[in-house]
């Protein structure tokens, strides 16, 4: 087994045990990127090789001198291009922000740096993170490693593809509407959306009203997710919300026999779903039955139309806060993508009653979910309602005979977890007859991140899907 095939935690262990040097690890990653990144365009804004090798050598010298190490010591990591890394470009996939150099690290990046990570560049993302398809006018599209004519998903598509192509051991991502879960399912890896507040948001801007998005880890196995989650998570005195602090590394491997799981498929027929998706997800749910869990198909516990109403209202309200100033400026408005303009204009048209109605629906969903979690430990849904679509399409416009009315309607299945702020693990569920990957979401009650990761670890041990390499790799 080559170094790039090991887990991230094993690479760090070998560095700390002096079995391999940080310089050797860095050279391995950079050589791998040089060999395969052009096939998928997952990593962008890469730093100079000589500078990175010098930084790795400095880490080796610090280790030899007995300096402190951390859980990510010496690990090369590319940060999603929506986040700030001090001294590096933050393009966000937009010509408006392209060329911007970040003056400081975002909070979770600061924590990764303190844990010993070496930042090598950025992972590609959609323009401003909108739309679960990683394409933008600055860097172009990220291609799916398993089907290079198809989308890698998003908005953490660059991270997902980099993991699948063995260019990274660990990646960060962010998730409002499935941006950690969809690319996990479409790239045959794992992406974890933690309970909202587990990873505190950066101070500045609105962190109180209607929180929707969160950071989270991505990896090729669940124990590596736990490793990175421990680094990214933890309270911050400037953050107003968050579950009880917890730790995860070393605690995810356990017997899950007796746990109760609800399989919801297409939410009682409410969501149009491409042929072939649900059978693969049902087969993935059956794995838990084979592990001794109780798995039951359950009717939808809440009206899908109300969830959609609440979500789209609060999402547009949130996007106005981020992109409203760019829309208000005539010079930058013309450079915004269509989905950004659509969201901002919807958000500007909202009344206070619209926002109150959406928040009330959300509150009712929390109450309904509490009843659901009284009977079940987790529920399972697809990570997307379709297989990866052609990379040249901006988004799917139909599923079967159903015309889709928005750019993100094919992602409706991620809303229950996002709207509730629940922990949700995106996990591989296999491949279509044409070789296209899809995944499942394992969704747990708020604060039970450990329980979800334990289910994911048992599932990973039973299936090992990421061991199936992309044809291009």
């Amino acid at each position: 087994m080559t170094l790039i095939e090991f887990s991230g935690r094993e690479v760090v262990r070998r560095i700390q045990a002096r079995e391999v040097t940080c310089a050797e690890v860095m050279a391995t990653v950079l050589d791998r990127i040089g060999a395969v990144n052009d096939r998928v365009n997952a990593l962008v804004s890469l730093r100079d090789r000589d500078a990175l090798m010098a930084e790795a050598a400095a880490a080796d010298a610090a280790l030899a001198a007995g300096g402190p190490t951390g859980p990510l010591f010496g690990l090369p990591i590319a940060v999603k291009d929506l986040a700030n890394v001090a001294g590096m470009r933050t393009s966000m996939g937009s010509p408006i922000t392209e060329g911007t150099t970040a003056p400081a690290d975002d909070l979770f990046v600061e924590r990764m740096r303190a844990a010993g990570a070496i930042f090598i560049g950025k992972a590609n993302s959609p323009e401003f993170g909108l739309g679960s398809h990683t394409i933008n006018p600055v860097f172009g599209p990220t291609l799916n490693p398993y089907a290079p004519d198809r989308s890698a998903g998003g908005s953490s598509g660059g991270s997902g593809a980099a993991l699948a192509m063995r260019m990274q051991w660990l990646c960060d991502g962010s998730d409002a509407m499935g941006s950690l879960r969809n690319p996990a399912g479409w790239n045959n890896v794992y992406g974890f959306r933690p309970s909202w507040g587990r990873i505190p948001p950066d101070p500045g801007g609105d962190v109180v009203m209607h929180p929707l998005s969160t950071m989270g880890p991505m990896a090729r196995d669940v124990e590596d997710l736990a490793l990175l989650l421990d680094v990214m998570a933890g309270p911050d005195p400037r953050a107003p919300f968050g579950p009880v602090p917890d730790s995860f590394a070393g605690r995810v491997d356990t017997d899950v026999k007796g746990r109760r799981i609800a399989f919801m498929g297409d939410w009682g027929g409410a969501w149009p779903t491409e042929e072939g998706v649900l059978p693969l997800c049902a087969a993935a749910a059956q794995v838990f039955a084979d592990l001794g869990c109780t798995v039951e198909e359950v009717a939808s516990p809440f009206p899908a139309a109300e969830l959609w109403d609440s979500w789209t209202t609060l999402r547009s309200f949130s996007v106005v806060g981020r992109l409203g100033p760019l829309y208000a400026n005539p010079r930058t408005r013309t450079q915004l993508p269509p989905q950004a303009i659509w969201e901002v204009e919807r958000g500007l048209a909202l009344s206070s009653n619209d926002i109150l109605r959406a928040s009330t629906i959300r509150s009712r969903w929390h109450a309904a979910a509490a009843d659901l979690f009284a009977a079940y430990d987790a529920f399972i849904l697809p990570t997307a309602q379709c297989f990866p679509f052609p990379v040249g399409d901006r988004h799917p416009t139909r599923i079967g005979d159903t015309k889709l009315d928005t750019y993100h309607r094919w992602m409706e299945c991620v809303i229950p977890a996002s709207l509730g702020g629940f922990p949700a693990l995106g996990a591989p569920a296999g491949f279509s007859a044409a070789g296209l990957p899809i995944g499942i979401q394992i969704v747990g009650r708020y604060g039970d991140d450990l329980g979800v990761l334990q289910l994911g670890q048992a599932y990973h041990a039973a299936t090992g899907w990421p061991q199936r390499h992309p044809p291009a790799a």
Side-chain angles (χ1 to χ4, degrees), residues 377-404:
D377 297 295
F379 62 88
I380 288 177
L381 296 168
T383 51
Q385 291 148 235
C386 59
F387 293 104
F389 55 84
V391 72
D393 295 350
R394 185 172 288 275
H395 57 81
T397 57
R398 305 188 73 88
I399 293 181
D401 295 330
T402 303
K403 184 177 180 180
L404 305 181

Side-chain angles (χ1 to χ4, degrees), residues 185-210:
W186 279 6
N187 290 280
N188 195 40
V189 297
Y190 292 91
F192 184 59
R193 178 189 168 105
S195 295
W196 197 89
R198 174 76 66 193
I199 300 173
D202 264 74
D206 175 30
V207 297
V208 177
M209 293 183 68
H210 312 302

Side-chain angles (χ1 to χ4, degrees), residues 20 55 63 187 200 235 293 313 444 456 471:
V20 66
E55 193 168 337
L63 180 63
N187 290 280
C293 298
T313 298

